[in-house]
Amino acid sequence: MATAAVLFLVAVCLFCSAVCGNLGSTKRTFSIDYKNNCFLKDGKPFQYISGSIHYSRIPRYYWKDRLVKMYMTGLNTIQVYVPWNFHESVQGVHNFTEDRDLEHFLDLANQTGLLVILRPGPYICAEWEMGGLPAWLLQKPNIILRSADTDYVQAVSNWLAVLLPKMKPWLYINGGNIITIQVENEYGSYYACDYNYMRHLRTLFRFFLGEDVVLFTTDGNTDKELACGTLEGLYATVDFGTDTNVTAAFNRQRRFEPRGPLVNSEFYTGWLDHWGDRHAVVNTQKVSRVLEEILTMGANVNMYMFEGGTNFGYWNGADHDSRFRSVVTSYDYDAPLTEAGDPTEKLLAIRDVIKQFREVPSGPMPPATPKFAYGFVTLEKVGNVSKVLDTISPLGPVKSEYPLTFEELKQYYGYMLYRTTLPQDLSEPTPLISPLNGVHDRAYVSVNGVFQGLLERDTALVMNVTGKQGDTMDILIENMGRVNFGSKINDYKGLLSNLILGKDVLTNWNIYPLDIDGAIARGWPHSGNRRSVPASRRERLAGPAFYMGTLQSNGIAWDTFLKLNEWTKGQVWINGVNLGRYWPARGPQQTLYIPGPLLSTTRPNNITVLELEGAPAHLRVLFMDRPQLNATAGKS
Ligand SMILES: *[C@@H]1O[C@H](CO)[C@@H](O)[C@H](O)[C@H]1NC(C)=O
Ligand SMILES: *[C@@H]1O[C@H](CO)[C@@H](O)[C@H](O)[C@H]1NC(C)=O
Ligand SMILES: *[C@@H]1O[C@H](CO)[C@@H](O)[C@H](O)[C@H]1NC(C)=O
Ligand SMILES: *[C@@H]1O[C@H](CO)[C@@H](O)[C@H](O)[C@H]1NC(C)=O
Ligand SMILES: *[C@@H]1O[C@H](CO)[C@@H](O)[C@H](O)[C@H]1NC(C)=O
Ligand SMILES: *[C@@H]1O[C@H](CO)[C@@H](O)[C@H](O)[C@H]1NC(C)=O
Ligand SMILES: *[C@@H]1O[C@H](CO)[C@@H](O)[C@H](O)[C@H]1NC(C)=O
């Protein structure tokens, strides 16, 4: 019944286009036609077929390539998140240049012929560090994120006063390509359910963007979520994947939006991976079948993701349900375009579906960018983290009786080193305990430079230590990415509570903020004088240490995939660019994507590796011409 009714309304809508189309003025308009249950663009019914792409996950020089491939698939629209923390990682300092040049991205989309659905948050989820919220918000210890909390709302207002005026000229109605704007993101999934917050956002969006732009919300497909996530004046849309009954899902949207266009704002073409979990895939036939069903109903759809990209640097998010689970570096997402932007069979199948509903641009799909297997490079050891502390912690330590968090030291991402001394002789293995589970997220423990083991949030709260009174204990803490979904997004990092060694509470800390990225950007370690450390005994290779090497590209700067076979866990930079985390020991991801334009054809390419647990004796890394996203160590 419902389906028949919807089809009838679509028919009415199309009929209206024939009759009223000529009456439309030349003024650019984009609005909702509540009578005929569709969007109206310049007075004519409009159905969008959209795909998600995140500029923050793709290097700038590949933006156009990915957009053209989306256009050639037959999409008329793209959907784009704006990650607040990507643009304001330091409070009050805004960056919209280079890889952060949002307006350039919008311009490229416009040149390509693509309309834009903008999702400026301020919270975006997106499996992105802290769901896009800047970690400096956590300096207010009691802040209630995503609520009408005064401190939070003040920060949001300041940010939106910067972002939204920039976006206003890009609205379709003002001559740009942004047709609709989402307010917040899946707010109904959040425990706070604070209507005052949503009202405040509505006021800000209207104030900065005007009364005429279509504002909307997106929520999971349950009554509870829609009840907390929707607000009058913001058009309510839903999101769902291939395992959902399409009719039932749109019926639910209808309960909250009795009239207007049907919209699935996130139709899942794939899914994300966490370290240690199985590699997620979504079947192509299912995607095609359900997409066809959605489009047949006359509904609007955004495919999430169409091009996933990469969580470069420290930008991955994490989930915290039963335990903390960090999102892997690749955001390939099993999407129609791969992490490296290559068209897949899923893309071709989607294009075949779209062909039934609108004309797909003629001409060939741009090919995959070329890939190159540069082969093996053998690295050498630079030194363990304790040894290079002067270089990577130029400011030196902060002294504190009890441990301080990353946020308290205003270092929000990456790694910090906590140093203290053993309070007494420990000739027998003595437990080092994190009684309140305060290690966020991993602690690599050395005594006098000798690696002793690690603690891990939620899963490893005790390990053994031996040593002598007065020995130096170094604990390198890794921030694995802040929680991006659910009630635990106030995800402080570092040592959040005391550690106990035997019967002693450890005190008198020297806490070193580490600016590893800054040191590498300034040329270290490749520019420095150093003596190579022979890699003869495996023991020497245990514990957090830096390794370096160079790749001669012999005139070829093509995309490649870096495999750290038998390495354990760490972080990699190439020519100063932080490629992200590797963790082949846990998987499923085995290779890191290196965009070709990062490579130099003439100069040696500088590889820097921070291995946290243990490097293999061979010290080799491998540059391959294809990714491996589904394997665990030993199986690949
Ligand atoms: C802004 O971001 C770009 C990368 O997109 C970076 O190269 C540049 O240094 C940043 N600018 C500032 C002032 O931090
Ligand atoms: C978008 O592109 C069209 C041509 O396709 C151009 O006329 C228009 O000025 C562009 N808009 C903006 C805001 O650049
Ligand atoms: C899908 O939901 C509709 C409406 O609730 C229902 O009539 C139909 O039987 C469902 N289809 C399947 C395959 O479950
Ligand atoms: C790490 O460096 C320290 C300081 O130079 C040194 O004492 C220690 O032996 C090193 N540890 C390893 C495992 O190489
Ligand atoms: C610590 O050492 C004791 C004694 O050797 C041993 O029984 C225990 O299993 C060890 N604990 C851990 C976490 O390794
Ligand atoms: C690698 O580092 C060396 C030494 O600092 C530098 O001369 C060279 O230009 C770097 N290579 C690239 C591609 O940046
Ligand atoms: C991933 O690899 C495992 C082990 O080889 C295999 O069982 C599984 O089917 C693979 N999953 C996908 C989605 O390819």
Side-chain angles (χ1 to χ4, degrees):
M1 278 304 289
T3 313
V6 168
L7 287 174
F8 171 72
L9 292 169
V10 170
V12 169
C13 209
L14 295 175
F15 171 74
C16 168
S17 93
V19 177
C20 348
N22 297 331
L23 305 176
S25 70
T26 53
K27 189 168 181 282
R28 289 165 73 96
T29 60
F30 196 92
S31 60
I32 289 174
D33 182 346
Y34 287 97
K35 197 157 150 245
N36 296 305
N37 298 323
C38 56
F39 288 112
L40 286 181
K41 179 168 164 280
D42 301 331
K44 298 189 189 113
F46 176 77
Q47 178 185 31
Y48 66 69
I49 304 176
S50 168
S52 282
I53 172 169
H54 300 158
Y55 59 93
S56 56
R57 287 181 159 129
I58 304 165
R60 172 188 170 113
Y61 29 77
Y62 276 144
W63 287 351
K64 180 78 179 174
D65 172 76
R66 305 330 188 223
L67 291 169
V68 168
K69 287 166 180 165
M70 294 172 82
Y71 178 78
M72 293 305 293
T73 307
L75 307 185
N76 52 17
T77 308
I78 58 169
Q79 195 203 56
V80 183
Y81 271 136
V82 182
W84 178 6
N85 54 8
F86 193 59
H87 293 286
E88 192 181 351
S89 47
V90 177
Q91 186 170 14
V93 181
H94 300 101
N95 190 342
F96 287 96
T97 65
E98 300 173 53
D99 285 346
R100 291 164 167 78
D101 192 344
L102 169 57
E103 290 189 76
H104 180 60
F105 183 79
L106 294 175
D107 189 31
L108 291 175
N110 186 52
Q111 286 172 26
T112 311
L114 291 164
L115 298 166
V116 171
I117 300 163
L118 194 75
R119 309 211 284 172
Y123 165 87
I124 62 169
C125 189
E127 288 80 68
W128 186 260
E129 145 75 41
M130 207 171 157
L133 299 177
W136 48 258
L137 291 168
L138 298 175
Q139 272 172 30
K140 303 273 180 189
N142 300 316
I143 196 165
I144 303 171
L145 301 169
R146 304 178 72 194
S147 80
D149 177 285
T150 319
D151 291 324
Y152 176 71
V153 159
Q154 186 61 55
V156 165
S157 306
N158 292 345
W159 162 237
L160 293 180
V162 172
L163 176 66
L164 296 183
K166 269 188 206 296
M167 295 297 101
K168 191 173 182 183
W170 287 96
L171 297 181
Y172 183 79
I173 54 177
N174 296 336
N177 53 350
I178 298 175
I179 50 172
T180 61
I181 297 205
Q182 185 181 314
V183 178
E184 246 278 350
N185 183 55
E186 295 182 337
Y187 188 60
S189 308
Y190 193 55
Y191 73 93
C193 194
D194 182 344
Y195 293 108
N196 285 333
Y197 167 51
M198 287 300 283
R199 282 189 203 104
H200 182 78
L201 289 181
R202 183 180 60 192
T203 304
L204 286 173
F205 277 65
R206 284 288 170 221
F207 177 79
F208 288 115
L209 300 171
E211 292 302 318
D212 294 334
V213 63
V214 174
L215 299 179
F216 71 101
T217 56
T218 298
D219 277 290
N221 185 36
T222 65
D223 285 342
K224 194 247 157 205
E225 286 164 283
L226 279 154
C228 286
T230 58
L231 192 71
E232 202 194 331
L234 308 178
Y235 190 73
T237 75
V238 290
D239 51 25
F240 57 86
T242 51
D243 291 333
T244 300
N245 178 328
V246 177
T247 310
F250 283 136
N251 284 349
R252 185 164 279 113
Q253 187 197 350
R254 275 280 169 263
R255 293 232 278 281
F256 290 81
E257 244 11 299
R259 307 201 58 87
L262 298 175
V263 181
N264 182 353
S265 290
E266 290 187 3
F267 171 55
Y268 303 109
T269 59
W271 201 249
L272 63 137
D273 283 350
H274 298 101
W275 294 115
D277 285 358
R278 293 174 50 148
H279 178 55
V281 290
V282 173
N283 174 279
T284 294
Q285 281 69 40
K286 270 188 171 178
V287 170
S288 304
R289 186 171 48 72
V290 178
L291 178 65
E292 183 175 350
E293 199 182 335
I294 290 171
L295 293 176
T296 302
M297 292 174 77
N300 300 271
V301 65
N302 172 68
M303 287 168 260
Y304 189 98
M305 296 298 296
F306 202 88
E307 154 74 61
T310 308
N311 295 309
F312 291 111
Y314 309 114
W315 289 118
N316 68 279
D319 279 288
H320 198 312
D321 24 54
S322 56
R323 66 186 164 86
F324 178 81
R325 289 183 306 153
S326 181
V327 173
V328 304
T329 301
S330 172
Y331 201 63
D332 178 90
Y333 212 83
D334 194 30
L337 287 168
T338 67
E339 176 176 17
D342 299 338
T344 61
E345 287 191 0
K346 190 175 278 181
L347 176 140
L348 299 177
I350 286 170
R351 188 173 61 163
D352 285 341
V353 173
I354 294 175
K355 273 181 190 158
Q356 302 169 39
F357 297 89
R358 71 183 294 260
E359 209 176 317
V360 167
S362 59
M365 175 67 58
T369 45
K371 307 290 185 291
F372 197 75
Y374 296 93
F376 286 107
V377 170
T378 301
L379 306 188
E380 58 182 288
K381 188 170 176 179
V382 176
N384 61 44
V385 166
S386 309
K387 187 179 142 195
V388 301
L389 213 44
D390 288 348
T391 308
I392 61 177
S393 183
L395 297 178
V398 172
K399 289 183 190 303
S400 174
E401 176 86 354
Y402 299 105
L404 301 171
T405 62
F406 278 41
E407 291 77 13
E408 283 167 317
L409 293 192
K410 299 194 168 130
Q411 183 194 321
Y412 300 106
Y413 308 109
Y415 305 83
M416 293 208 318
L417 188 117
Y418 293 69
R419 173 174 284 177
T420 187
T421 48
L422 297 188
Q424 50 186 293
D425 285 349
L426 309 169
S427 50
E428 297 298 317
T430 305
L432 173 68
I433 307 168
S434 172
L436 299 175
N437 195 15
V439 171
H440 284 199
D441 303 295
R442 297 189 112 222
Y444 306 91
V445 180
S446 306
V447 174
N448 280 357
V450 178
F451 187 55
Q452 305 250 336
L454 60 88
L455 300 172
E456 182 170 322
R457 179 175 179 181
D458 294 333
T459 55
L461 307 186
V462 54
M463 59 172 272
N464 282 332
V465 170
T466 53
K468 291 200 161 43
Q469 185 179 20
D471 282 357
T472 300
M473 178 153 75
D474 279 348
I475 304 183
L476 184 70
I477 303 270
E478 177 183 13
N479 163 359
M480 285 284 294
R482 287 187 183 78
V483 172
N484 60 261
F485 182 77
S487 59
K488 296 178 182 161
I489 55 175
N490 291 50
D491 189 14
Y492 290 85
K493 296 301 187 184
L495 277 183
L496 275 57
S497 52
N498 287 322
L499 295 180
I500 295 177
L501 181 58
K503 294 194 180 65
D504 298 307
V505 172
L506 291 173
T507 55
N508 291 320
W509 294 93
N510 281 300
I511 307 169
Y512 292 77
L514 301 185
D515 183 19
I516 300 171
D517 294 86
I520 292 174
R522 289 187 290 273
W524 180 84
H526 292 79
S527 57
N529 293 326
R530 69 196 175 276
R531 230 166 6 99
S532 146
V533 180
S536 49
R537 284 198 306 119
R538 203 185 154 77
E539 301 81 74
R540 290 227 191 110
L541 300 173
F546 286 96
Y547 301 84
M548 61 177 277
T550 53
L551 168 72
Q552 301 290 345
S553 74
N554 294 324
I556 299 169
W558 290 357
D559 284 7
T560 185
F561 299 90
L562 178 60
K563 178 161 174 146
L564 288 110
N565 211 18
E566 296 178 83
W567 295 69
T568 312
K569 181 184 197 308
Q571 195 94 29
V572 189
W573 293 258
I574 192 141
N575 294 332
V577 175
N578 190 331
L579 294 177
R581 303 169 212 275
Y582 66 88
W583 200 354
R586 198 159 281 190
Q589 180 178 1
Q590 297 296 315
T591 55
L592 292 174
Y593 172 52
I594 301 181
L598 287 186
L599 300 177
S600 169
T601 51
T602 52
R603 286 173 295 155
N605 292 288
N606 299 319
I607 309 157
T608 312
V609 171
L610 168 60
E611 166 61 48
L612 298 161
E613 295 181 46
H618 59 64
L619 288 187
R620 278 195 319 254
V621 299
L622 176 62
F623 293 84
M624 318 198 325
D625 60 5
R626 63 184 62 107
Q628 285 183 357
L629 299 177
N630 176 33
T632 45
K635 286 193 205 148
S636 52

